[in-house]
Amino acid sequence: MDRPLRVAALASGRGSNLAALVAARDAGRLPVEFTLVGSDKKLAGALAVAAAAGIPTVALNPKDYATRAEFDSALFGRVADSGADLLVLAGYMRIVDAAVVAPWEGRAINVHPSLLPKYRGLHTHRRCLEAGDREHGASVHFVTAELDGGPVVAQARIPVHPGDTEDDLAARLLVEEHKLLPAVVGAIASGRLRWQGGPLFDGAPLTRPLSLADL
Ligand code: GRF
């Protein structure tokens, strides 16, 4: 591509992963242009992060729409209108209608705080502790209609220490998410990671999740 990758993001929460992407871009480590940050929560910290970075924002209220599909279609329509090549779900806490997400196959990624396929959905840190796992992690995957179920492209791992709480795990893992997500977006921007019916890295189908060192 002869222009920077155009990236939009959806986020429902504080926006620390979005901030990590913006920081990487500002440091010259991520050659992307942010087209839009959208949210289902008008008070989401992510919108403030975006506004401070001069990125256009949109917040739509699901309650203003009769059905989930109508809301999803409106929000994803705004993303499409922004001209984004890539959509990053960075703490976007809603399940998206299958028909709305379908056209984004291979062009949308999500960051999830577990070693997928373990612990899709919520409370991943608690479930990891309850299972007695000695290792926890975060995954970046391509988005499909299945919640946290699309092909995993990269993972970061952390050890679980005796006495760790959910908050301890969340805090240590977030540090890794903030490195992993910009690295994956960077790999897409450079063309090393792309989608051709499934993820390809350096021209070969992915057989295992990439690590930060690979990227
Ligand atoms: C992160 O833990 C991410 O993995 C999950 O939601 C959280 C979002 O945090 N999907 P933030 O809003 O990016 O700070």
Side-chain angles (χ1 to χ4, degrees):
M1 232 185 307
D2 53 0
R3 58 166 177 79
L5 186 79
R6 293 184 182 131
V7 177
L10 294 180
S12 305
R14 77 200 136 179
S16 70
N17 277 288
L18 174 67
L21 290 171
V22 171
R25 192 271 316 260
D26 290 348
R29 288 185 279 113
L30 189 61
V32 302
E33 178 191 326
F34 294 101
T35 63
L36 183 72
V37 173
S39 186
D40 57 320
K41 301 248 187 289
K42 72 170 193 273
L43 297 178
L47 294 174
V49 169
I55 304 167
T57 62
V58 59
L60 302 182
N61 185 348
K63 294 201 178 109
D64 292 339
Y65 296 82
T67 64
R68 191 177 79 196
E70 282 173 45
F71 171 79
D72 293 347
S73 163
L75 189 56
F76 276 65
R78 297 290 289 267
V79 170
D81 290 347
S82 78
D85 304 305
L86 175 72
L87 172 59
V88 178
L89 303 186
Y92 184 61
M93 301 305 285
R94 289 176 60 87
I95 295 172
V96 182
D97 179 78
V100 172
V101 99
W104 288 89
E105 185 187 69
R107 298 190 295 137
I109 58 172
N110 179 43
V111 56
H112 181 74
S114 79
L115 291 172
L116 290 170
K118 275 189 172 182
Y119 315 134
R120 294 176 182 180
L122 298 175
H123 309 304
T124 58
H125 313 305
R126 185 189 312 167
R127 288 153 72 197
C128 167
L129 289 173
E130 282 169 0
D133 293 352
R134 298 174 65 177
E135 197 177 42
H136 191 33
S139 304
V140 176
H141 65 93
F142 280 104
V143 174
T144 61
E146 200 183 342
L147 177 70
D148 302 324
V152 174
V153 291
Q155 289 183 328
R157 295 168 179 270
I158 60 167
V160 178
H161 300 313
D164 267 347
T165 63
E166 283 181 56
D167 286 349
D168 294 334
L169 285 184
R172 288 214 309 282
L173 196 52
L174 208 54
V175 176
E176 301 305 317
E177 292 181 35
H178 294 168
K179 293 184 252 180
L180 194 66
L181 184 60
V184 171
V185 173
I188 294 172
S190 71
R192 288 187 81 189
L193 179 62
R194 58 200 177 82
W195 179 273
Q196 211 172 72
L200 292 185
F201 185 67
D202 287 344
L206 270 186
T207 52
R208 58 167 180 85
L210 300 165
S211 68
L212 196 57
D214 298 315
L215 293 159

